[in-house]
Amino acid sequence: MEENRTLNFIEEIIESDLADGKCDAIVTRFPPEPNGYLHIGHAKAICINFGLRRQYNGKCNLRYDDTNPSKEDVEYVNSIKQDIAWLGFEWDNELYASDYFERMYECAEDLIRKGLAYVCDYDAEQIRATRGTLTSPGTESPWRNRSVEENLQLFRDMRAGKYADGEKVLRAKIDMSSANINMRDPVIYRILRATHHRTGDAWCIYPMYDFAHPLEDAFEGVTHSICTLEFEDHRPLYDWVKIHCGFGSLPRQIEFARLGMTRTIMSKRYLKKLVDEGKVSGWSDPRMPTLSGMRERGYPAEAIRNFCQAIGVSKANSEVDVAMLEHFVRDVLNRDADRVMVVKDPIKLIVENVDAPETYDVENNPNAEVKTTRKVTFGRELYIDREDFAVVPPPKYKRLVPGGTVRLKGSYIVEYVSHETDAQGNVTQIVCRYIPDSISGGANAGMKVKGVIQWVNAADCVDLTLHEYDYLLLDGDGDFNDRLTPDSHRVFDRAKGEAALRACKPYDRLQFMRMGYYSAVGNYGTDGKYEFNLVTGLKDSFGK
Ligand code: ATP
Ligand code: MG
């Protein structure tokens, strides 16, 4: 690991456990429930768990926490794998909580035999009503003192399908007056008839998270079970299960603050709602804060890792400015993306003194370590952006105006000759002349011009469709249903790009000069479709 950095609190715990000989090597896990696609919050947990694996030369497993069949699906299982691999991490083992259902069941019988679990006939409402509050203890269930034999029989009957869903539960027998409500005889098994995506209909009882999770960790030899802060109050129960089921001081649960981000929905449940209600095109819609959405949008995985590194690990919940994530995206793209010219709203520019087209080499990326160039062709008919010409210029306008001059990026300086308008007064065409020898290195290159604009050659340019996005959420807080940004996806289907763009491949990322960073869509180039997603603008608002 790098020197000169103070350890975060997780590393401190790990180093002291290693020093005390509690373990020889660490084992972590990333435990998603396959009930949705991973989002940027999960990236934080992935970077922590897989980062520790690398740092301490340990292991990190991908474990599906698939104990809730009614919400889970193989589509999610597959997307999760794809997203972790895309982020750049490798797991040691791919594991499923459902593979331990039999072992978990045995642990439950074992608790019953020890007098530490009982079958309760209360329904969910009665359990809630007798749980007590933060200031008052709960009341004991009338079924709490059933004999071991009766409990064993009832639990076996639950498994055998003798009872309806919700008719009985298995509860841990802990302490109904515990100050910690999680310790007031929590439910550890429930009856649920739902087909599981892996075990099918083999089971009609399923373990609850608080019982299953410590066992999964313990079975797999996880040493440090890292989860988010809302489980802090569950840690005594985690330890209770672990100890009474016969495991030692490790695994140990460590909680960190979950990632929250401005203008971002960070919960699979709500993201699913957007998908189900058709508010977005799917889980991978480029506006979604899912890893697959970010991949479609064109975010580099490296930028997400750098962001996670920068936000660090803490124990205090806070909301990160979404501009910070974009800052890291821009950082990688500024270094890596080739620069090209595109006009979003084209208007013809006739250069009347051009006799024959010319081709020059233009540098692709001024920041590249190894400089490369591409061919750009200059000709008599060009396109520039409508915004780069103004008949009546606003103050401080630095582009082409009647009587003015402007430099065409990477090419000549041109001077205005005339323009035409339609019946509504919209400019339809501009005529200009280029100034010979004004190209970089030429005798007139030093001529003063107010501005530089991008252009494309009408003879060889490619028609493009650009997709531009806004945040899904408006600023503020409150119910996200009332905060959806109207018009968060805009389409520009008249754009034109320089010829080199024909050769792009899906997910190629480029800087469209003066416009922003764009990424070729996943089916770029097929069926004559040349489409780009706006990844992020050029301006960095982070820390400003
Ligand atoms: P969601 O509420 O979005 O469904 P979850 O916590 O229920 O999230 P899981 O699939 O259980 O999702 O999460 C897998 C792992 O990712 C857990 O260890 C969880 O703590 C972590 N995780 C989930 N959301 C965040 C977040 N916003 N920030 C950091 N870690 C997170
Ligand atoms: Mg969850």
Side-chain angles (χ1 to χ4, degrees), residues 200-212:
D201 296 315
W203 292 87
C204 66
I205 57 171
Y206 289 95
M208 303 301 286
Y209 176 91
D210 281 331
F211 178 66

Side-chain angles (χ1 to χ4, degrees), residues 29-46 48-49 63 65 80 209 213 225-231 256-261 265-271 283 311 317:
R29 86 287 173 262
F30 174 66
E33 183 180 356
N35 61 351
Y37 281 57
L38 298 180
H39 52 61
I40 182 75
H42 293 111
K44 177 175 179 182
I46 292 170
I48 292 173
N49 281 296
R63 183 224 301 149
D65 217 344
I80 288 169
Y209 176 91
H213 207 87
S225 177
I226 299 162
C227 64
T228 41
L229 222 47
E230 69 273 22
F231 291 102
F256 69 97
R258 57 194 301 128
L259 171 66
M261 211 159 62
I265 298 174
M266 201 76 86
S267 155
K268 281 182 281 186
R269 191 155 64 94
Y270 292 120
L271 294 173
W283 286 96
I311 54 178
N317 279 318

Side-chain angles (χ1 to χ4, degrees), residues 8-57:
N8 66 44
F9 74 96
I10 298 179
E11 293 162 339
E12 273 175 9
I13 294 172
I14 287 176
E15 297 206 358
S16 108
D17 285 348
L18 287 167
D20 294 349
K22 285 199 176 142
C23 56
D24 297 327
I26 65 156
V27 180
T28 59
R29 86 287 173 262
F30 174 66
E33 183 180 356
N35 61 351
Y37 281 57
L38 298 180
H39 52 61
I40 182 75
H42 293 111
K44 177 175 179 182
I46 292 170
C47 289
I48 292 173
N49 281 296
F50 287 91
L52 290 168
R53 166 196 194 255
R54 189 169 299 167
Q55 194 174 325
Y56 292 102
N57 204 13

Side-chain angles (χ1 to χ4, degrees), residues 485-501:
T485 308
D487 254 359
S488 53
H489 175 194
R490 278 162 301 149
V491 181
F492 298 86
D493 58 4
R494 300 177 55 237
K496 291 182 188 291
E498 58 174 277
L501 291 178

Side-chain angles (χ1 to χ4, degrees), residues 227-279:
C227 64
T228 41
L229 222 47
E230 69 273 22
F231 291 102
E232 196 167 23
D233 290 343
H234 296 240
R235 191 179 345 129
L237 181 52
Y238 182 100
D239 289 336
W240 186 95
V241 170
K242 176 180 76 175
I243 286 159
H244 292 289
C245 291
F247 297 94
S249 65
L250 297 180
R252 172 210 281 281
Q253 177 180 298
I254 306 171
E255 310 86 13
F256 69 97
R258 57 194 301 128
L259 171 66
M261 211 159 62
T262 56
R263 307 195 66 174
T264 308
I265 298 174
M266 201 76 86
S267 155
K268 281 182 281 186
R269 191 155 64 94
Y270 292 120
L271 294 173
K272 184 170 191 309
K273 196 159 178 274
L274 291 178
V275 173
D276 291 345
E277 292 176 358
K279 300 266 169 47

